[in-house]
Amino acid sequence: RAIHAASSLLIFDEPTSSLSEAESAEVFRIVRALSERGMGVIYITHRMEELRAIGDRVTILRDGRTVASGALAGLSMEEMIHHMVGRPVSTLYERAPLPPGEELLRVEQEGAQLTVRAGEIVGLAGLMGAGRTELCRALFGIDRGGAGQDYLYGEVYLYGKPVRIRSPRDAAAAGIAFLTEDRQRTGLALRLPIRNNVTLANLSSLSRLGFLTARREAAPVRGLLSRLRIRAASTEQWAGRLSGGNQQKVVLAKWLFRNARVFLFDEPTRGIDVAAKAEVFALMDELARSGAGILMVSSELPELLQVADRILVMRAGRIVKELARGATQEEILRYAAVGA
């Protein structure tokens, strides 16, 4: 449509945030072709590797101001990240693994097993369509299996006991939290205040005789905003007016207020900048150190390799391989593409 309107300047805003590698490569091909035809292109992205693939010059913003601008060839990756976050890249994020504690979650599949223990971050890798999100949705009671199946992916155990989760209400009551890949559509009420979003999953703990007051909500919400370092004008600010990173923290605050212990993170860093990613990873580490267990879905393989204690690879709806810390991207892709 933009080309048909004879536009001379095209602005792409995070065009590959939900695309596979093959689809992203096609976007890059189109961008290069348009540039070669003489069109101007502004390409907005949080993915550093994409800049090298298609960019000529780069402008880096921080807190709404330009902090650097120039030819891409003259800036290293470390320098770009330093400009973005205002401190050296070496201080961004580093996670030391913990000895795992008690088993919190287990899913028994035919020939495979998914377990998450207290103190663990377990990565879930796979190609687009492998079933990672579907697994999380089934565990949270959103989707059900076919006739005669209680679960889409086998038998589920929480804290060592078999469970039957038939709805998100059951999952929340059992201590499971689901941070969806599309926080704006399915994680937040964008036109409600932060206060309402944080308490939404646990209203019964605050209401008296069916009534809820802003005064009763205020103190715990302020405490969570401080604990998670959520940058907002007040607890009354609309969730939709926060940055992507702060929106993700509000979703996390909602589940902390619900006292969840098993966290399903589906693409937790999608659409947030490198500094916000480091904060989200640090918060995940804090959760693990407090005794929570985390199952993390991510299409960003370097993130999985950096954060996860173990990585489970899915293909065609099944877990085909478990890889220990220290695995490579090549190993993950090989099992994701062809199976065990």
Side-chain angles (χ1 to χ4, degrees), residues 111-122:
Q113 186 182 87
L114 178 158
T115 60
V116 179
R117 297 180 178 276
E120 273 193 320
I121 298 178
V122 179

Side-chain angles (χ1 to χ4, degrees), residues 11-64:
I11 302 175
F12 291 82
D13 190 2
E14 299 282 359
T16 64
S17 63
S18 59
L19 301 184
S20 67
E21 287 192 25
E23 291 167 331
S24 297
E26 180 65 8
V27 171
F28 301 158
R29 185 193 66 77
I30 292 169
V31 170
R32 293 190 200 98
L34 294 174
S35 179
E36 289 167 1
R37 286 169 51 179
M39 298 185 77
V41 176
I42 295 175
Y43 189 95
I44 301 167
T45 183
H46 289 112
R47 296 179 172 179
M48 300 292 98
E49 67 276 8
E50 293 187 354
L51 297 177
R52 299 290 184 196
I54 60 171
D56 300 307
R57 293 184 295 113
V58 62
T59 294
I60 301 172
L61 304 179
R62 186 173 73 244
D63 297 330

Side-chain angles (χ1 to χ4, degrees), residues 106-109 150-151 153-157 162-163:
R106 183 167 87 252
V107 181
E108 297 280 1
Q109 290 187 348
D150 289 322
Y151 294 97
Y153 293 94
E155 296 295 324
V156 179
Y157 298 81
V163 293

Side-chain angles (χ1 to χ4, degrees), residues 139-156:
L139 289 172
F140 198 64
I142 299 171
D143 295 331
R144 297 280 299 281
Q149 294 179 323
D150 289 322
Y151 294 97
L152 209 55
Y153 293 94
E155 296 295 324
V156 179

Side-chain angles (χ1 to χ4, degrees), residues 21 299-303 305 311 323 326-336:
E21 287 192 25
S299 299
E300 303 287 343
L301 296 186
E303 291 183 3
L305 294 170
I311 295 176
L323 297 171
T328 65
Q329 293 190 52
E330 291 74 17
E331 286 180 282
I332 295 173
L333 290 171
R334 182 171 71 250
Y335 289 111

Side-chain angles (χ1 to χ4, degrees), residues 55-133:
D56 300 307
R57 293 184 295 113
V58 62
T59 294
I60 301 172
L61 304 179
R62 186 173 73 244
D63 297 330
R65 297 179 180 275
T66 299
V67 294
S69 188
L72 263 169
L75 283 174
S76 68
M77 189 76 74
E78 290 75 16
E79 288 173 321
M80 283 193 287
I81 295 175
H82 191 168
H83 286 305
M84 289 179 68
V85 303
R87 59 187 186 275
V89 65
S90 60
T91 65
L92 271 180
Y93 181 73
E94 186 175 338
R95 179 170 185 265
L98 296 169
E102 63 173 314
E103 179 185 280
L104 301 181
L105 171 68
R106 183 167 87 252
V107 181
E108 297 280 1
Q109 290 187 348
E110 185 178 345
Q113 186 182 87
L114 178 158
T115 60
V116 179
R117 297 180 178 276
E120 273 193 320
I121 298 178
V122 179
L124 198 58
L127 302 178
M128 295 285 284
R132 299 166 301 166
T133 293

